[in-house]
């Protein structure tokens, strides 16, 4: 019989080394969005013929500075990522100095080239989107945001993160005197920027977007925004993160998982909303890696929050039964077993109704993990859960040295 485990998917058994293979399930990363590292930078794309060695050197210098800021010791450049890279217009920035530059505050902002004009031919970028962003951050930052130079796109997101407190402070004053239109516009415009940036193929830009998202959520919390308002503003962002769970790039998947779990810890969003998102059918869910990543996030939500925060465990198990239990990929079936074991500690024998199609070996591992005193199909064995935390039935610690379950803080 396989020994049951309540730890998140991918955690090695006691005494066993961690399996780092591509097919294995690695533990969910700690929620340190601002310290999320990236190991490679993109090489020039063949569709971008303009080349300016001086500008490339400047952008590499900027990237090195950002590596140091985020804790990346390597700071190396490699050509293994196929992404778009192009130098911006070679015009000089004589009209700006260190004091009045629009990118002031961004590392090595004076070394960055000037952005080219926004190319909205072909209707790829809606004119009203351009107008909204220009109205919020100004023409220069808008041109950086839409630039073909990935360093300028990254710099524009970093600068917007720095501007958020000022934007939010101004909007709070306007809301206080009876107007909320600008407040809504600021949140909606930044969300539109995030939607575009989170779909950027360049990893440093994607990471900068995750940092901006984390800062935006912090501002929402500080402003006392209700959950309904926050979810309305982020409605274009959260589905994007879920879709990235099926991405081919490990850094993108890691970043999406980290962001979703960070949002689950926010009082403006919460774990129940994130758990419901995981059950939504999307195009990328046909891939095994996407299903495994969703189960990994779902299991972490169960393990970290339990039933006390509205986690729809039964709904998650229904999704798992439909998409994972009888999957043709053995890695998916193994992950489904681990999630079912975690769910069994919450919903008891109710988990058995979702095991149809599971192999006898996996089914036996799940049933063996069901708490012994779970006598009804819907009861949660509170005594077993308390014992697992080192508490008695009154919630008192049985052993002061016993560690509490890990609780991660938002980045």
């Amino acid at each position: 019989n396989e020994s049951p485990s309540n730890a998140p998917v991918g955690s090695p058994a006691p005494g066993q080394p961690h399996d780092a293979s591509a097919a294995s399930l690695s533990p969910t990363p700690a929620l340190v969005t601002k310290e999320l590292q990236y190991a490679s930078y993109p090489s020039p794309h063949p569709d971008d013929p303009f080349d300016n060695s001086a500008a490339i050197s400047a952008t590499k210098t900027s990237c090195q500075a950002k590596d140091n800021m985020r804790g990346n010791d390597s700071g190396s450049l490699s050509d293994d990522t196929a992404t778009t890279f192009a130098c911006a217009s070679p015009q000089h920035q004589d009209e700006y100095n260190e004091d009045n530059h629009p990118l002031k505050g961004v590392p090595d902002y004076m070394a960055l080239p000037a952005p080219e004009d926004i190319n909205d031919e072909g209707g790829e970028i809606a004119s009203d989107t351009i107008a909204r962003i220009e109205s919020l951050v100004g023409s220069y930052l808008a041109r950086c945001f839409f630039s073909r130079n990935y360093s300028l796109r990254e710099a524009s997101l970093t600068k917007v993160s720095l501007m958020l407190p000022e934007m939010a402070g101004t909007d709070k004053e306007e809301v206080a005197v009876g107007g909320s239109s600008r407040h809504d516009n600021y949140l909606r415009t930044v969300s539109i920027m995030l939607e575009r940036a989170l779909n950027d193929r360049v990893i440093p830009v994607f990471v900068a977007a995750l940092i901006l998202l984390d800062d935006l959520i912090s501002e929402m919390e500080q402003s006392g925004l209700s959950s309904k308002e926050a979810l309305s503003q982020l409605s274009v962002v959260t589905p994007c993160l879920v879709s990235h769970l099926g991405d081919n790039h490990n850094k993108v998947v890691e970043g999406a998982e980290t962001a979703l779990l960070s949002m689950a810890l926010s009082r403006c969003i919460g774990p129940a909303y994130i758990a419901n998102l995981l059950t939504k059918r999307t195009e990328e869910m046909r891939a095994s890696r996407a299903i495994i990543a969703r189960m990994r996030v779902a299991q972490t939500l169960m393990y970290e929050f339990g039933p006390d925060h509205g986690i729809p465990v039964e709904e998650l198990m229904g999704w798992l039964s439909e998409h994972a239990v009888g999957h043709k990929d053995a890695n998916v079936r193994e992950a489904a077993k681990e999630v079912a074991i975690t769910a069994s500690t919450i919903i008891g024998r109710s988990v058995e109704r979702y095991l149809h199609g599971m192999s006898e070996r996996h089914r036996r591992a799940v049933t063996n993990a069901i708490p012994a005193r779970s006598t009804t199909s819907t009861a949660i064995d509170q005594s077993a859960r308390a014992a697992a935390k080192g508490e008695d039935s009154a919630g008192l610690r049985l052993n002061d040295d016993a560690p509490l379950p890990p609780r991660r803080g938002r980045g």
Side-chain angles (χ1 to χ4, degrees):
N1 291 347
E2 298 184 10
S3 60
S5 170
N6 294 337
V9 174
S11 300
Q16 296 297 321
H18 176 65
D19 182 8
S21 64
S24 67
L25 299 172
S26 61
T28 304
L31 299 184
V32 285
T33 308
K34 293 186 188 306
E35 298 178 5
L36 186 62
Q37 300 176 1
Y38 44 87
S40 62
Y41 285 97
S43 58
H45 192 279
D47 295 336
D48 297 324
F50 185 80
D51 186 16
N52 182 303
S53 58
I56 291 178
S57 176
T59 55
K60 287 184 178 181
T61 302
S62 174
C63 290
Q64 176 68 48
K66 296 305 287 291
D67 275 336
N68 295 336
M69 180 180 70
R70 290 181 181 140
N72 185 354
D73 296 331
S74 63
S76 59
L77 293 165
S78 62
D79 298 332
D80 60 351
T81 306
T83 50
T84 303
F85 177 91
C87 294
S89 172
Q91 59 184 316
H92 296 289
Q93 304 190 47
D94 296 337
E95 65 272 25
Y96 295 114
N97 55 44
E98 293 184 358
D99 296 326
N100 65 1
H101 200 286
L103 291 174
K104 183 179 180 180
V106 177
D108 288 341
Y109 62 96
M110 290 300 293
L112 294 172
E116 71 275 19
D117 291 335
I118 299 174
N119 181 12
D120 58 349
E121 296 180 2
E124 179 184 355
I125 307 173
S127 58
D128 60 333
T129 298
I130 297 175
R132 288 186 70 131
I133 294 175
E134 286 181 337
S135 175
L136 182 67
V137 302
S139 175
Y140 191 95
L141 281 181
R143 285 188 287 134
C144 289
F145 179 73
F146 290 109
S147 175
R148 295 172 65 202
N149 185 325
Y150 80 84
S151 292
L152 290 174
R153 298 199 300 275
E154 180 188 12
S156 69
L157 295 169
T158 302
K159 180 63 177 180
V160 173
S161 287
L162 297 174
M163 296 168 62
L164 280 180
E166 181 181 354
M167 292 177 183
T170 301
D171 291 338
K172 287 176 191 175
E173 295 175 0
E174 297 195 8
V175 172
V177 297
S180 61
S181 59
R182 177 173 170 79
H183 186 259
D184 293 340
N185 178 69
Y186 135 68
L187 293 173
R188 179 62 64 186
T189 302
V190 176
S191 295
I192 290 173
M193 296 178 71
L194 283 170
E195 180 187 19
R196 181 180 178 88
L198 288 171
N199 285 310
D200 200 299
R201 294 179 297 168
V202 182
I203 301 300
V205 180
F206 177 75
V207 171
L210 292 178
I211 294 174
L212 175 57
L213 173 60
D214 192 72
D215 290 339
L216 180 64
I217 295 173
S218 295
E219 290 297 335
M220 287 180 171
E221 292 175 345
Q222 293 176 16
S223 66
L225 204 65
S226 68
S227 178
K228 182 178 179 180
E229 292 174 311
L231 294 177
S232 173
Q233 299 295 346
L234 295 174
S235 60
V236 297
V237 176
T238 47
C240 178
L241 291 171
V242 174
S243 68
H244 280 320
L245 293 177
D247 198 274
N248 290 321
H249 200 295
N250 290 335
K251 285 294 179 181
V252 174
V253 176
E254 178 184 329
E257 288 183 16
T258 302
L260 287 169
L261 292 172
S262 181
M263 294 171 77
L265 285 162
S266 169
R267 63 175 177 269
C268 287
I269 301 170
Y273 175 76
I274 301 301
N276 282 317
L277 277 180
L278 298 175
T279 64
K280 305 300 181 184
R281 181 184 296 273
T282 55
E283 183 67 23
E284 97 290 342
M285 209 176 70
R286 294 179 299 179
S288 297
R289 61 180 178 276
I291 300 176
I292 292 174
R294 289 196 186 201
M295 286 192 289
R296 187 162 54 225
V297 175
Q299 187 187 21
T300 303
L301 291 175
M302 295 180 195
Y303 185 75
E304 291 288 334
F305 297 97
D308 301 328
H309 294 81
I311 300 294
V313 179
E314 299 266 3
E315 185 175 343
L316 286 171
M317 286 303 302
W319 174 87
L320 180 142
S321 177
E322 179 181 356
H323 297 283
V325 168
H327 200 278
K328 62 182 179 180
D329 191 324
N331 294 317
V332 175
R333 297 195 301 272
E334 180 69 22
K337 179 204 73 175
E338 296 296 331
V339 176
I341 288 175
T342 300
S344 71
T345 65
I346 299 175
I347 61 175
R349 295 202 173 277
S350 290
V351 75
E352 294 179 339
R353 74 179 70 167
Y354 303 107
L355 304 184
H356 299 295
M358 183 175 283
S359 70
E360 183 60 31
R361 180 171 63 90
H362 286 170
R363 181 192 293 269
R364 191 164 54 248
V366 175
T367 55
N368 288 341
I370 297 175
R373 288 186 293 276
S374 180
T375 57
T376 65
S377 60
T378 59
I380 300 173
D381 191 340
Q382 299 291 356
S383 299
R385 292 177 58 79
K389 296 181 180 181
E391 301 174 347
D392 62 11
S393 58
L396 301 177
R397 300 294 298 171
L398 298 177
N399 181 358
D400 291 338
D401 297 327
L404 288 168
R407 292 295 179 189
R408 302 186 179 95
R410 284 192 48 239

